[in-house]
Amino acid sequence: MSPQAEPGAGSKPKRSSGRRPSLTREEILAAALAIVDEGGLDALTMRAVADRLGVYPNAVHWHMGSRSGLIGAVSTKVFDEIRLPPQRDVPWPDWIRAMAREIRRVMRRHHHLAQVIGTQLVTTTGAMPFVERVLSVLTDAGFDDERLTVAYNSVIGFAIGWPALELSTEPTDQHSAWKDDFAAELAGLNPLLFPALTRAMPAVRNRAYLLRWDSGATEPLDTSFEFALDILVAGLGAQLPG
Amino acid sequence: MSPQAEPGAGSKPKRSSGRRPSLTREEILAAALAIVDEGGLDALTMRAVADRLGVYPNAVHWHMGSRSGLIGAVSTKVFDEIRLPPQRDVPWPDWIRAMAREIRRVMRRHHHLAQVIGTQLVTTTGAMPFVERVLSVLTDAGFDDERLTVAYNSVIGFAIGWPALELSTEPTDQHSAWKDDFAAELAGLNPLLFPALTRAMPAVRNRAYLLRWDSGATEPLDTSFEFALDILVAGLGAQLPG
DNA sequence: ACCTGAACACCGTTCAAGT
DNA sequence: ACCTGAACACCGTTCAAGT
C-alpha cells in the first residue's frame, strides 16, 4: 500500500543503455506531473523524480533550484491544458460558464495539484492567453476600467477557488476509521441543539462542505457547482448598467 | 533570517524548574498555532512543537498520532474563533454578508492555515454551530430541502474558497528576484497579442489573480471581495421563488 | 553547462525502556 | 497512560569533482 512500489528505489541510477540525452526541464516537469497525479503532492520528492529519470537527485536540483520551485513549475502545467471555447458570437454568460467548467475539468484531472493552484501564488505568463480572453469577454459585456478588475477577480476567484475547495484532499495517514467516526459524530448530534442541521442531514451528509468525508475528487458536487455558476452569472449580470 | 532563531534548538529538552504538568492536547495545539502563525506551515514540525514545549518529539507524536493529524487538528482551531452575528430580525442578505466577512477575517488572522482549510478535508463537529446557523438562515430565506444543499454549498464554497485563493502563500525559497522577473515579463507582453490585458494592466498588475506577485495576506483584495459578495447575494436572491 | 558521487543537517516515525 | 532517550529511514540541499 506504500506509494513507492518500485523495487530497488533509492538505489544508484541505472541507465538502460548508453548515454541518455541531456536532461531537459520539460522532461523533469512531465515526470513530476506523473508522480503527483499518481501519488499526491507528498510523493513528489526530488529523489522520486530523479529515480524515475534515472539520474541523481542533484541533477533535478540543478534544473529546478528547489523542491518548492519544482512544485510551482509543475502546477503551471495545468494551465497549459486549458482549452477555451471560441469567443465570437457567444453571449458572455455562456462563455463564462464554459470557461469555469473547463477550469474545473483540468483541475479535476490533476486534483492533487488543485491545492497548489488554489493556495499558492502561481506566476506564469503561460496563463496570459487565458487571462486575455477573460478580460476581453468581460470588457465586451460592459465592464469598464474600474469595474473590470473587480469583476475579473470575482469570476476567477470563483472559477479557481470553488473547485479547489471541492477537490480538498483527504488526510494522508489515518486508519480510515476517522470517516466512520465523523459519520457517527454527525449522526449523534443533538436534534434540539441543531434542528436545521438534523432536518437537512439526509441531504447534506457527505454531500456538503464541512459535512463530508469524501473528497470532491471521488464524490463531485456537480449540482452545487452548477447552482453556484448560475448565481455567479446572474449576480454578475445584475451589476451591469441597464 | 532563518525561521528557527532559538539558540540551542534541537538540543535536549530543558525543563525550567521541577516537573511540568502533564502535556495536554490543547497545549500542543496552542503551541502549534503559534508556530504556524509565525513561520508558516513548513515551520510546523513535530520537533519544533516539542522544542517549544520542552519535551521530546515523541511526546507530541503520542498525543497527535502524526504530523498531518496535527495540521488537521490545528486548522480546526480557526473555526473556534468565528463569532457569528445575531440572526434575529436580520435580513438574510445582511447576515450572509456578515458571515462571509467573518470567515475571511479569521482566515486572514491565520493566513498560513488558509491553505489547509481551503484544500484539505476538515472534519470537526466544532464547526457545527456555524453550519447550523447557515442552514437556518438559508431555510428562513426560502430555500427548501432540495435547493438548500446546493445553496449552502454555493455560499460556503465562496466564503471559504474565495479567501483561500486570495490568501495564497508566496513561494518559500527564491531570492525575491522572481517578483521583479514576473513584473518585467508582464510589462514586456506584446500589446498586439494581448490588447485587453495591455489596456487593463495599470489596474490589474499585482491586483488581480494570475497577475499578482504579492499575497492577499499583505495586499488584500478588499473591493474585489465586496464586489464578489454583492454578486453572491444578488445571484442567490434571484434563485428564490417570487 | 551539466551531472556524478558522496556527504550533511534535518525530519517523521518507531521502538524499547522507564515511571 | 505518558514520556524519555535513542535509533532508523528518508529527505532537501550542498559540495567537490568530473566531463
Side-chain angles (χ1 to χ4, degrees):
Chain A
M1 290 308 172
S2 175
Q4 64 263 32
E6 225 141 41
S11 61
K12 288 186 174 67
K14 201 72 165 282
R15 274 83 171 280
S16 42
S17 67
R19 275 194 77 71
R20 63 147 42 251
S22 182
L23 199 57
T24 155
R25 182 184 163 90
E26 274 316 305
E27 204 177 355
I28 293 175
L29 291 183
L33 186 61
I35 290 172
V36 75
D37 282 345
E38 292 168 12
L41 207 54
D42 288 343
L44 181 53
T45 69
M46 305 293 267
R47 294 173 123 95
V49 175
D51 275 354
R52 182 176 278 250
L53 295 172
V55 297
Y56 279 81
N58 196 29
V60 179
H61 203 274
W62 192 91
H63 282 273
M64 305 308 299
S66 68
R67 176 172 187 262
S68 72
L70 171 67
I71 291 175
V74 74
S75 75
T76 67
K77 288 208 70 174
V78 176
F79 286 95
D80 297 342
E81 295 187 14
I82 296 176
R83 294 288 174 265
L84 288 177
Q87 181 179 343
R88 282 280 143 222
D89 300 322
V90 175
W92 69 262
D94 295 347
W95 193 90
I96 294 290
R97 279 179 213 272
M99 178 273 290
R101 293 193 188 106
E102 172 69 4
I103 298 280
R104 182 168 177 256
R105 189 185 69 84
V106 297
M107 286 179 72
R108 169 173 297 284
R109 282 188 59 164
H110 307 287
H111 66 270
H112 285 121
L113 283 177
Q115 62 181 293
V116 180
I117 296 168
T119 59
Q120 215 162 286
L121 273 179
V122 175
T123 56
T124 168
T125 50
M128 292 309 117
F130 165 73
V131 171
E132 168 71 18
R133 295 290 270 289
V134 176
L135 288 173
S136 170
V137 167
L138 289 176
T139 302
D140 291 350
F143 289 98
D144 59 4
D145 300 82
E146 288 186 21
R147 297 160 69 90
L148 178 59
T149 304
V150 293
Y152 168 88
N153 278 336
S154 299
V155 169
I156 302 296
F158 167 79
I160 298 182
W162 209 97
L165 187 65
E166 181 192 9
L167 295 171
S168 294
T169 56
E170 308 182 12
T172 53
D173 61 328
Q174 313 298 94
H175 325 72
S176 75
W178 67 274
K179 290 191 178 189
D180 298 334
D181 290 350
F182 185 61
E185 280 188 276
L186 287 186
L189 288 178
N190 187 342
L192 297 176
L193 289 175
F194 305 99
L197 178 53
T198 304
R199 214 173 314 123
M201 191 58 81
V204 295
R205 52 165 265 143
N206 205 21
R207 299 187 170 285
Y209 291 131
L210 304 177
L211 299 167
R212 61 187 181 145
W213 46 87
D214 286 319
S215 164
T218 58
E219 300 289 336
L221 304 176
D222 288 330
T223 57
S224 290
F225 175 77
E226 287 296 328
F227 193 83
L229 201 46
D230 286 342
I231 289 174
L232 175 75
V233 170
L236 203 57
Q239 297 285 350
L240 283 173
Chain B
M1 289 308 173
S2 172
Q4 63 262 31
E6 223 141 42
S11 61
K12 288 186 173 67
K14 201 74 162 283
R15 274 85 171 279
S16 41
S17 68
R19 275 193 77 71
R20 63 145 46 249
S22 182
L23 199 59
T24 155
R25 183 185 162 89
E26 274 316 305
E27 206 176 353
I28 293 175
L29 292 183
L33 186 60
I35 290 172
V36 75
D37 281 345
E38 292 169 10
L41 207 54
D42 289 342
L44 180 54
T45 69
M46 305 294 267
R47 294 174 124 94
V49 175
D51 274 355
R52 182 176 277 250
L53 294 172
V55 298
Y56 279 81
N58 195 31
V60 179
H61 203 273
W62 191 91
H63 283 274
M64 305 308 300
S66 68
R67 180 175 121 96
S68 72
L70 171 66
I71 291 174
V74 74
S75 76
T76 67
K77 288 208 69 174
V78 176
F79 286 95
D80 297 342
E81 295 187 14
I82 297 177
R83 295 290 173 264
L84 287 178
Q87 181 180 343
R88 284 278 143 224
D89 300 323
V90 174
W92 69 262
D94 295 347
W95 194 90
I96 294 290
R97 279 179 214 273
M99 180 273 290
R101 292 193 188 105
E102 173 69 2
I103 298 280
R104 182 168 177 256
R105 189 185 68 85
V106 296
M107 288 179 71
R108 170 174 296 283
R109 280 188 60 162
H110 308 286
H111 66 270
H112 285 123
L113 284 177
Q115 63 180 295
V116 180
I117 296 167
T119 59
Q120 216 162 285
L121 273 179
V122 175
T123 56
T124 169
T125 50
M128 292 310 116
F130 164 73
V131 171
E132 169 71 17
R133 296 288 271 289
V134 176
L135 287 172
S136 170
V137 167
L138 290 175
T139 302
D140 291 350
F143 289 99
D144 59 4
D145 300 82
E146 287 186 21
R147 297 160 69 90
L148 178 59
T149 305
V150 294
Y152 168 88
N153 278 336
S154 298
V155 168
I156 302 297
F158 167 79
I160 298 181
W162 209 97
L165 186 66
E166 181 192 9
L167 296 171
S168 295
T169 57
E170 308 183 11
T172 53
D173 61 329
Q174 313 300 94
H175 325 71
S176 75
W178 67 274
K179 290 191 178 188
D180 297 334
D181 290 350
F182 185 61
E185 281 188 275
L186 286 186
L189 288 178
N190 187 344
L192 298 176
L193 291 175
F194 304 100
L197 178 53
T198 303
R199 216 173 312 122
M201 191 58 80
V204 294
R205 51 165 266 143
N206 205 21
R207 299 188 171 285
Y209 291 132
L210 304 177
L211 299 167
R212 61 187 181 144
W213 47 87
D214 287 319
S215 165
T218 57
E219 300 289 337
L221 304 176
D222 288 331
T223 57
S224 291
F225 175 77
E226 288 296 329
F227 193 84
L229 202 45
D230 286 342
I231 288 174
L232 175 74
V233 171
L236 203 57
Q239 298 285 349
L240 283 172

